[in-house]
């Protein structure tokens, strides 16, 4: 929704919109690309501004309204984007840090606490983030605010698929530029390695001259990682009787982005939870991941059972991405939260932790997606009130020096003795297994009650925090767990 905005003496208002849904975030990203292109920012700054606003919009997305405003500053020439809200939301350190690294002229201001309710009713409270992008001198000379406003008004609306394709194109462009600069750096290093002691002075000169190549590659890789996060869900659904939590950690040392993803959807058949991993680390792996996740959302709206969803994804992958494979595990929590259906295409098995019982891996397995092999029917499991479900990707537990069965056993023991709260469980597992990961990590946890029995988080008698489940020996049949 567009609205008028006050115009300071040296500012021209270009656009104001409200951001309260994921579709509004897509529109915000599209407006940023259109306006930054109209004012003459170069391609890299266009993508950076659009990515930054998309990341912040998703991170700050709440039921309340947030305002996004674009203004044209005359002196010095700059495009300013401001996100402003009037509640207690704040950006996460990860999102704000990533955006600040991409666009250093980013400023977050949180309004000070106000003394009385009357003061709060009459004065601004909440917070704002301002991003300023200097306009190149060559573009500023001929820049007309009327021309920019006309371009903004004439921009036609687009679909969600168009927005996804635009993000993919930006991701491709960012990775291609990063790869080209990395290759150039490697070529220069090879030439320098071949020199001898007599040309060390030249070596030092070239090192200083091309230092910006190294810094720019790091910035472009940061941009690629931020863009990858826009393919993942912005929020988790709120379903009565289901407490959900998720953690996503990119690999610390990887030079390529990966294809790990997760999904959570409220469907007519129940709450659908999914975790998957496209085999490989590359730009293509990330784009295939995005296609699979959005296809899963579309197929789930057609009320298919879990194993039929896997068969549709397998057919789609073989048809449009031949030669690529992926693992996906789908768990459908039936209405009432008393039973689940599990279908697993080559992924690590989910862990079920029922109150008063030993945790066990649900080791039903089908073939990887992309092989064209029929998937077995989904298997049903009864749930006790308060049961917990854990789904992960292999980056959490796989190491080069450890046996996967030993690591699964350790995972089950750690999870069963962790706090019952899904957020606390995710934190425990990330702290235990997720230090300096060699691969991307997803940890997805759920605690399930029948809706009528859903209770607030319990605390121990001393009020020290969530009550952990009763300690028990981990006796899940690891021998029945297949390797990915």
């Amino acid at each position: 929704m567009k609205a008028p905005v006050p115009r300071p003496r040296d500012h021209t208002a270009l656009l104001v919109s409200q951001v309260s849904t994921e579709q509004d975030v897509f529109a915000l990203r599209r407006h940023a690309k259109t306006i930054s292109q109209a004012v003459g920012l170069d391609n890299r700054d266009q993508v950076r501004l659009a990515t930054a606003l998309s990341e912040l919009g998703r991170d700050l997305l709440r039921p309340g309204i947030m305002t996004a405003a674009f203004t044209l500053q005359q002196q010095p020439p700059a495009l300013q984007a401001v996100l402003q809200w009037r509640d207690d939301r704040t950006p996460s350190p990860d999102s704000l840090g990533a955006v600040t690294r991409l666009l250093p002229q980013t400023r977050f201001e949180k309004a000070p606490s106000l003394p009385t309710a009357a003061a709060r009713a009459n004065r601004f409270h909440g917070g704002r983030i301002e991003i300023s992008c200097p306009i190149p001198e060559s573009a500023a000379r001929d820049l007309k605010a009327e021309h920019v406003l006309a371009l903004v008004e004439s921009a036609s609306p687009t679909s969600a698929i168009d927005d996804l394709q635009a993000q993919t194109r930006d991701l491709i462009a960012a990775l291609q530029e990063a790869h080209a600069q990395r290759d150039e750096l490697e070529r220069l290093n090879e030439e320098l390695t071949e020199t001898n002691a007599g040309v060390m002075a030249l070596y030092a000169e070239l090192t200083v001259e091309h230092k910006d190549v190294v810094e720019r590659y790091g910035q472009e890789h940061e941009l690629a990682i931020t863009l990858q996060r826009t393919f993942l869900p912005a929020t988790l659904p709120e379903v009565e009787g289901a407490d959900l939590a998720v953690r996503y950690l990119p690999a610390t040392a990887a030079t390529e982005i990966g294809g790990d993803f997760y999904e959570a959807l409220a469907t007519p058949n129940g709450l659908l939870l999914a975790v998957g991993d496209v085999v490989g680390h590359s730009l293509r792996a990330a784009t295939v991941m995005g296609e699979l996740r959005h296809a899963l959302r579309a197929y789930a709206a057609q009320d298919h059972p879990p194993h039929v969803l896997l068969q549709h994804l397998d057919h789609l992958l073989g048809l449009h991405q031949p030669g690529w494979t992926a693992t996906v595990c789908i768990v459908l929590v039936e209405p009432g939260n008393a039973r689940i259906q599990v279908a697993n295409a080559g992924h690590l098995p989910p862990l079920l932790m029922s109150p008063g019982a030993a945790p066990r891996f649900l080791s039903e397995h089908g073939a990887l997606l992309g092989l064209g092999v029929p998937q077995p029917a989904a298997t049903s499991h009864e749930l006790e009130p308060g049961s917990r479900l854990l789904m992960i990707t292999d980056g959490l537990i796989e190491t080069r020096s450890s046996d996967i069965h030993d690591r699964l056993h350790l995972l089950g023991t750690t999870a069963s003795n962790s706090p019952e709260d899904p957020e606390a469980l995710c934190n425990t597992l990330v702290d235990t297994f997720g230090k300096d990961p060699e691969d991307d990590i997803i940890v997805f946890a759920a605690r399930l009650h029948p809706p009528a029995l859903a209770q607030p988080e319990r605390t121990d008698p001393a009020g020290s925090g969530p009550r952990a489940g009763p300690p028990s020996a981990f006796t899940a049949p690891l021998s029945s767990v297949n390797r990915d």
Side-chain angles (χ1 to χ4, degrees):
M1 183 177 73
K2 300 178 181 179
V5 66
R7 301 187 179 189
R9 183 179 303 173
D10 62 338
H11 286 65
T12 301
L14 300 177
L15 178 70
V16 174
S17 62
Q18 294 181 348
V19 180
S20 59
T21 68
E22 192 166 357
Q23 287 302 113
D24 293 338
V25 176
F26 278 120
L28 175 62
R29 187 181 193 284
R30 185 170 65 251
H31 294 327
K33 285 293 294 293
T34 300
I35 294 173
S36 59
Q37 183 179 19
V39 302
L41 298 185
D42 62 32
N43 289 336
R44 183 186 296 112
D45 285 342
Q46 292 175 29
V47 173
R48 289 185 176 185
L49 179 60
T51 300
L53 291 176
S54 176
E55 169 69 15
L56 291 171
R58 292 161 61 87
D59 183 55
L60 291 166
L61 197 60
R62 302 290 189 279
I65 292 176
M66 175 172 61
T67 301
F70 296 86
T71 58
L72 182 62
Q73 177 180 293
Q74 304 299 331
Q75 293 297 331
L79 173 64
Q80 292 186 339
V82 176
L83 297 177
Q84 187 166 309
W85 57 94
R86 295 182 176 271
D87 53 30
D88 60 355
R89 73 186 84 182
T90 57
S92 69
D94 288 345
S95 292
L96 188 60
V99 169
T100 303
R101 287 190 292 272
L102 292 177
L103 295 168
Q105 294 183 335
T106 299
R107 186 170 72 253
F108 167 51
E109 298 176 358
K110 185 174 182 180
S113 300
L114 300 177
T116 66
R120 287 193 295 270
N122 295 313
R123 293 177 56 190
F124 165 76
H125 68 286
R128 70 194 302 268
I129 295 177
E130 179 180 298
I131 301 175
S132 180
C133 297
I135 299 175
E137 184 179 348
S138 57
R141 282 197 298 267
D142 301 321
L143 184 60
K144 302 292 184 183
E146 296 79 8
H147 175 67
V148 177
L149 288 169
L151 288 177
V152 173
E153 291 295 330
S154 64
S156 58
T158 62
S159 67
I161 294 298
D162 293 330
D163 288 325
L164 176 63
Q165 290 175 343
Q167 290 189 42
T168 302
R169 287 193 296 270
D170 289 342
L171 178 61
I172 291 173
L175 264 294
Q176 286 176 341
E177 181 175 358
H179 289 173
Q181 292 174 352
R182 180 190 62 188
D183 293 343
E184 175 66 9
L185 178 62
E186 290 177 350
R187 184 188 66 80
L188 290 172
N189 285 337
E190 289 175 358
E191 292 180 0
L192 293 173
T193 301
E194 295 173 356
T195 61
N196 55 38
V199 292
M200 287 303 295
L202 177 61
Y203 171 81
E205 180 182 347
L206 290 175
T207 300
V208 173
E209 180 180 350
H210 295 284
K211 180 181 178 181
D212 64 321
V213 177
V214 181
E215 295 175 349
R216 185 174 298 176
Y217 170 70
Q219 293 172 354
E220 299 301 337
H221 181 64
E222 181 75 34
L223 172 61
I225 292 297
T226 303
L227 280 169
Q228 183 194 15
R229 292 171 61 183
T230 66
F231 285 110
L232 299 174
T235 58
L236 296 176
E238 295 184 3
V239 178
E240 186 179 3
D243 302 322
L244 305 178
V246 69
R247 297 291 185 274
Y248 167 70
L249 285 77
T252 55
T255 56
E256 300 279 4
I257 58 179
D260 292 22
F261 70 95
Y262 63 91
E263 187 56 87
L265 293 171
T267 74
N269 290 336
L271 175 62
L272 185 145
L273 309 175
V275 171
D277 185 3
V278 175
V279 177
H281 286 81
S282 66
L283 170 63
R284 285 289 302 278
T287 56
V288 171
M289 173 269 284
E291 292 176 7
L292 282 180
R293 183 202 155 218
H294 284 274
L296 174 60
R297 293 176 64 91
Y299 291 138
Q302 300 173 5
D303 298 342
H304 296 301
H307 65 282
V308 176
L309 291 176
L310 292 179
Q311 290 173 179
H312 283 312
L313 294 178
D314 178 73
H315 176 73
L316 180 73
L317 195 59
L319 183 65
H320 295 292
Q321 301 290 349
W324 284 85
T325 58
T327 66
V328 178
C329 180
I330 297 176
V331 175
L332 178 65
V333 183
E334 297 182 3
N337 299 347
R339 187 169 63 177
I340 59 175
Q341 299 178 30
V342 181
N344 192 340
H347 200 77
L348 288 174
L351 179 67
L352 178 61
M353 296 170 282
S354 302
R360 59 192 178 100
F361 285 109
L362 308 180
S363 56
E364 299 86 351
H365 244 266
L368 277 71
L369 301 184
L371 301 181
V373 177
Q375 294 290 327
T379 303
S380 296
H381 298 272
E382 302 297 326
L383 292 181
E384 296 294 330
S387 293
R388 294 182 294 160
L389 187 70
L390 176 65
M391 305 168 72
I392 66 168
T393 54
D394 54 12
L396 181 68
I397 59 172
E398 281 194 351
T399 64
R400 298 176 183 177
S401 58
S402 300
D403 180 79
I404 184 64
H405 291 77
D406 294 339
R407 298 287 287 177
L408 282 170
H409 189 286
L410 179 60
L411 172 70
T413 302
T414 305
S416 64
N417 291 304
S418 296
E420 292 182 1
D421 175 62
E423 292 285 349
L425 173 59
C426 287
N427 289 337
T428 298
L429 296 180
V430 169
D431 291 342
T432 304
F433 296 94
K435 296 177 181 178
D436 298 324
E438 299 176 1
D439 196 359
D440 292 356
I441 289 175
I442 287 176
V443 182
F444 200 176
R447 180 173 57 183
L448 303 167
H449 292 274
L453 300 178
Q455 299 292 331
E457 183 180 272
R458 296 177 294 166
T459 58
D460 61 23
S464 59
R467 183 189 303 169
S472 59
F474 180 65
T475 58
L478 294 179
S479 59
S480 65
V481 178
N482 294 327
R483 296 174 182 269
D484 282 351

